[in-house]
Amino acid sequence: MMPPHDPWLALQAWQATWLAGLDPAGLGRALREARLQRLIGRARRDSPFYARRAASARRLEDFEPVGKAELMEHFDAWATDRRITRHGAHAHLRQAAPAQAWLQRYLLWTSSGTSGHPGLFVQDAASLAAYDALDALRLRGTAPLATGLDSWGPGRCFAYVGAIGGPYAGYVTLRRLQQLQRSVPAPWRPRLTCLSVLEPLAQVATRLQRLQPEVLITYPSCAAALASWQAEGRMALTLRELWLGGEQLSAAQRQQIGQAFACPLRNSYGASECYSMAFECSHGRLHLNDDWVVLEGVDAGGRPTPVGDFSHTTLLTNLANQTQPLLRYTLTDRVRFDPAPCACGSAWPVIEVQGRGDDVLQLPGLGGSPVVLLPLALETVLEEEAGVTRFQLLVHADDRIELRLAVAGSENEGNAAAAFERCRQALQRYLSLQQARQPALLHGRGAPAQQAGSGKLRRVIDLRRDGHAAGPSSVATPHPPR
Ligand SMILES: [Zn+2]
């Protein structure tokens, strides 16, 4: 079964997205308004959840903000197609290969996200067409007329390093593109190799060295770790481009990655809830895809944040997805709208995002040199092998690792102890694969501490780093890849 794809919708999305790029403030705004009205109508008519919750809503501001936990609780009443049920989705995920169509028309992916609640997201051909168009025309194309058609160009060699094998947004998206290209004759087909972020970094570096990809696709933290291998001469990749996403790219990471690989970086801001929210221009600024996405920054009391200030949280309205409507959905990211126009000349709004800032860990290695552990890898091990989603891993000054867990029914000591034991075994296996010396691992008494400002749950925190000495709850806020 092929992944969802509709050539007619794809053509329409490309045309509309391209035209909007010529006139963001005029046509872009008009498209946004028309899409919003359609989404509101569809949600109120075909989603029992919204019909009940927002019966009289006419405008976007009439919708009360909604969070992931509430939507997941009402999963079967949320979508606009009554065949979409949690039971059916899980059954599909158990049997089908990633990117295989569900109910012949949907793509499914999951997220754990920073709130610690697992999410299950359904994409239809129309939303996928919009994400494809945004990727090709804005993220990969630097000017309105550069269509980015060559980004998945003939015979190009791509390597993806991320969470693979499961229904993760980044991996599913790449597998879908790969499967859609199957009909292309082999010499013109892009070649894509997926490497697991769970592999020891040395092994990843060796495989990349053999592969010599032209484009590397990964998370900023992983790219930065690989950049130090490249800088130290332990790896010599000649990249044409580096595509980054899934985490916030810090200025330090940008510099380190840029120096090591000396190639253009294409960075984006997306989430499992909306795959393509903003794209980075040649000036390193993020531009909001304002015709397909509504983002509203709000303060702690839910009031709109003034332009120029960072928000407390952000409300997302995804105008591309009419199957699983997201109207004023709370994202824990902080967003700031920059009132100054960007020097690149693009009229799409400029935003800055402060998202999750998990730490890359260094632990003593068995061979003497330290071992680098990526937060994404640690999170994947704990989620997939130990089955926990709300956790916090804290590395103390003496290299001890404290694991705090919020387990369902955690009032029951037995549940918590069993979960900790699963985590301990999964971490031990993972650390020995990485050739790291086994640290002392203790079961933290407290619950995972949310960040004071945003309520965001940082899951991997290195207390040995500067500025972290005061403990996780007072750490300053510093954030799906493709
Ligand atoms: Zn710009």
Side-chain angles (χ1 to χ4, degrees), residues 76-239:
D76 292 3
W78 168 23
T80 52
D81 178 343
R82 298 278 55 75
R83 295 176 303 163
I84 293 176
T85 61
R86 180 195 302 279
H87 179 79
H90 281 298
H92 176 76
L93 288 176
R94 272 195 304 275
Q95 319 156 350
Q100 198 176 314
W102 177 38
L103 300 169
Q104 295 174 349
R105 56 189 307 172
Y106 299 122
L107 195 66
L108 260 180
W109 61 55
T110 60
S111 81
S112 55
T114 50
S115 65
H117 297 285
L120 194 53
F121 296 99
V122 181
Q123 309 301 319
D124 54 24
S127 62
L128 294 167
Y131 304 151
D132 289 346
L134 288 169
D135 252 32
L137 294 166
R138 301 199 187 148
L139 180 61
R140 322 267 179 244
T142 47
L145 283 173
T147 59
L149 275 173
D150 69 335
S151 61
W152 284 100
R156 265 207 194 175
C157 179
F158 294 82
Y160 172 66
V161 185
I164 69 171
Y168 317 115
Y171 178 65
V172 167
T173 300
L174 289 172
R175 294 280 296 170
R176 169 177 169 267
L177 289 174
Q178 200 176 22
Q179 288 173 31
L180 291 177
Q181 307 236 5
R182 262 200 199 138
S183 53
V184 177
W188 292 284
R189 203 185 301 155
R191 287 167 295 140
L192 170 69
T193 306
C194 294
L195 308 179
S196 172
V197 76
L198 297 184
E199 284 183 33
L201 201 63
Q203 203 169 304
V204 171
T206 307
R207 290 185 63 191
L208 287 173
Q209 179 66 27
R210 264 206 307 270
L211 204 62
Q212 285 298 327
E214 294 163 273
V215 180
L216 175 63
I217 312 168
T218 190
Y219 305 79
S221 60
C222 185
L226 290 169
S228 48
W229 281 69
Q230 176 96 354
E232 290 161 17
R234 291 190 282 173
M235 185 173 78
L237 300 185
T238 313
L239 298 175

Side-chain angles (χ1 to χ4, degrees), residues 281-285 287 342-346 350:
C281 69
S282 54
H283 289 245
R285 316 294 309 274
H287 288 275
C342 183
C344 76
S346 167
V350 178

Side-chain angles (χ1 to χ4, degrees), residues 457-473:
L457 180 64
R458 285 180 68 208
R459 302 203 292 182
V460 181
I461 300 173
D462 192 343
L463 298 170
R464 301 167 302 182
R465 288 165 49 140
D466 290 342
H468 285 185
S473 48

